Amino acid sequence: MTLPFTADSADTGLTIAVTTSRHPDAQEEQEARELAAREGFLFRPRRRRPLEALFAGDAARGEVPVAVIVVVTRDQVVAHSRQGPPLFFHPGMAKIRIQRLRQGGGDPMITAMDLGPGQRVLDCTLGFGADAIVSSYVVGETGEVVGWESSPVIACVMRHGMARYQQPVHAELPALVAAIRRVKVERVDHRLGLPHLPDGAFDVVYFDPMFRHPLLHSQPLAPLRLFADHRPIEVEVLEQAKRVARRRVVVKDRSSGEELDRLGLTTRVGGHKSPVTFGIWIKE
Ligand SMILES: C[S@@+](CC[C@H](N)C(=O)[O-])C[C@H]1O[C@@H](n2cnc3c(N)ncnc32)[C@H](O)[C@@H]1O
């Protein structure tokens, strides 16, 4: 089950409303109202109502039914639909991967990107942001990572969830929080955004599209799947990415997938024991 997608929620009739916790103070409500206005979503006052009542709306007050409710509190931004689990930001695998890098271990995506400090990365498929955060850790303060996400719900949840994310005090990984904060999240469809960028604008342009056949055990991706843009990468998009990349274009796929062949990416990293492979295009 997936929700209808568009870069502009108004196009599909996918109505999205922002609300607060059940007992917000004035500041929390003001912040939620402002967030709704910035994202172009409706604002629905909570009035202590359960989510089910918010989805339906109160016709007597002129409220229309909505498909998605985004609950905004000081600590979190969580998107709810009636079709599946809620979506919120958590650093998940990024934390484990950064810990591994700090212990001198490798990361196949970083190897595929040949990434180092000071470089600029355009992540064209942000999703949960794990890959963007690991890139952000590697490029450091002198580099830059921009994350594009076409799904309005995912872009909103990740942008505001990443800004609010606080580590438990005992976690002792300040580098993780710093890397999260440096990712610049933008609601952009890469099909529309790439043609506007100048040649060589980023060192690496990266894609991790939704797999045509999802890995069965990737249960944590279930909330993302519901709200995500499932369209495959177009050949024209890859050509634009090659123009925008100063050094490399990197595309992730299942090791058993056919997308890298379809896109003509024959240079590969990973795949022997890993369920995923990276296809690489290197600028001459
Ligand atoms: C598999 S997820 C990416 C996961 C991400 N690499 C991570 O580490 O969490 C793919 C994401 O790309 C987004 N997406 C798909 N097509 C897109 C497009 N044309 N422009 C921007 N984002 C897109 C989807 O909505 C989804 O959130």
Side-chain angles (χ1 to χ4, degrees):
M1 178 79 200
T2 57
L3 294 170
F5 156 77
T6 175
D8 176 355
S9 58
D11 288 350
T12 55
L14 175 65
T15 328
I16 305 165
V18 171
T19 194
T20 60
S21 61
R22 279 202 188 205
H23 303 281
D25 59 27
Q27 193 191 342
E28 197 182 312
E29 178 152 332
Q30 184 57 24
E31 280 179 19
R33 277 182 190 278
E34 287 170 6
L35 187 148
R38 276 200 305 277
E39 298 288 340
F41 301 160
L42 299 174
F43 177 75
R44 181 146 294 178
R46 185 72 190 247
R47 299 201 185 96
R48 301 188 182 185
R49 290 178 284 180
L51 282 181
E52 200 44 48
L54 292 173
F55 280 121
D58 180 354
R61 291 178 187 268
E63 290 180 349
V64 293
V66 296
V68 182
I69 300 274
V70 180
V71 179
V72 175
T73 64
R74 289 232 168 71
D75 310 323
Q76 261 192 339
V77 173
V78 185
H80 300 263
S81 74
R82 283 164 156 158
Q83 283 96 344
L87 176 74
F88 53 90
F89 169 71
H90 58 84
M93 282 305 290
K95 184 174 170 186
I96 296 163
R97 288 166 63 188
I98 290 176
Q99 272 165 339
R100 199 181 299 142
L101 286 168
R102 287 170 77 82
Q103 288 157 5
D107 184 279
M109 180 196 76
I110 297 300
T111 306
M113 290 179 171
D114 186 31
L115 200 63
Q119 294 192 26
R120 303 187 70 218
V121 177
L122 176 61
D123 185 329
C124 288
T125 49
L126 181 79
F128 271 121
D131 289 334
I133 294 165
V134 176
S135 299
S136 166
Y137 170 74
V138 171
V139 302
E141 285 176 15
T142 56
E144 182 182 28
V145 177
V146 174
W148 279 356
E149 172 57 57
S150 51
S151 155
V153 176
I154 297 173
C156 168
V157 166
M158 296 309 148
R159 181 176 21 244
H160 300 289
M162 286 162 104
R164 282 168 168 74
Y165 178 73
Q166 298 287 346
Q167 236 184 155
V169 245
H170 59 269
E172 289 173 359
L173 196 51
L176 172 70
V177 179
I180 292 171
R181 296 274 195 273
R182 285 197 302 268
V183 176
K184 294 179 184 148
V185 178
E186 297 175 356
R187 189 211 289 183
V188 175
D189 179 339
H190 59 237
R191 295 166 184 235
L192 307 176
L194 279 168
H196 292 281
L197 292 182
D199 296 2
F202 286 87
D203 292 289
V204 177
V205 179
Y206 176 68
F207 296 88
D208 173 17
M210 300 301 288
F211 292 156
R212 318 285 337 128
H213 307 286
L215 296 168
L216 286 177
H217 60 266
S218 67
Q219 206 46 35
L221 277 184
L224 192 79
R225 223 171 271 135
L226 187 66
F227 296 106
D229 181 344
H230 290 259
R231 296 172 300 173
I233 297 174
E234 288 174 347
V235 174
E236 296 75 26
V237 165
L238 188 69
E239 290 310 309
Q240 284 291 336
K242 290 176 181 174
R243 184 186 60 73
V244 167
R246 202 178 65 81
R247 296 183 48 246
R248 282 179 184 218
V249 178
V250 176
V251 181
K252 179 155 101 180
D253 191 19
R254 290 183 63 154
S255 296
S256 58
E258 287 155 11
E259 287 297 280
L260 301 181
D261 286 338
R262 179 179 68 83
L263 294 168
L265 294 168
T266 50
T267 308
R268 311 275 168 95
V269 165
H272 314 297
K273 291 180 189 160
S274 156
V276 299
T277 303
F278 298 90
I280 309 168
W281 176 85
I282 302 174
K283 199 152 232 165
E284 297 288 299

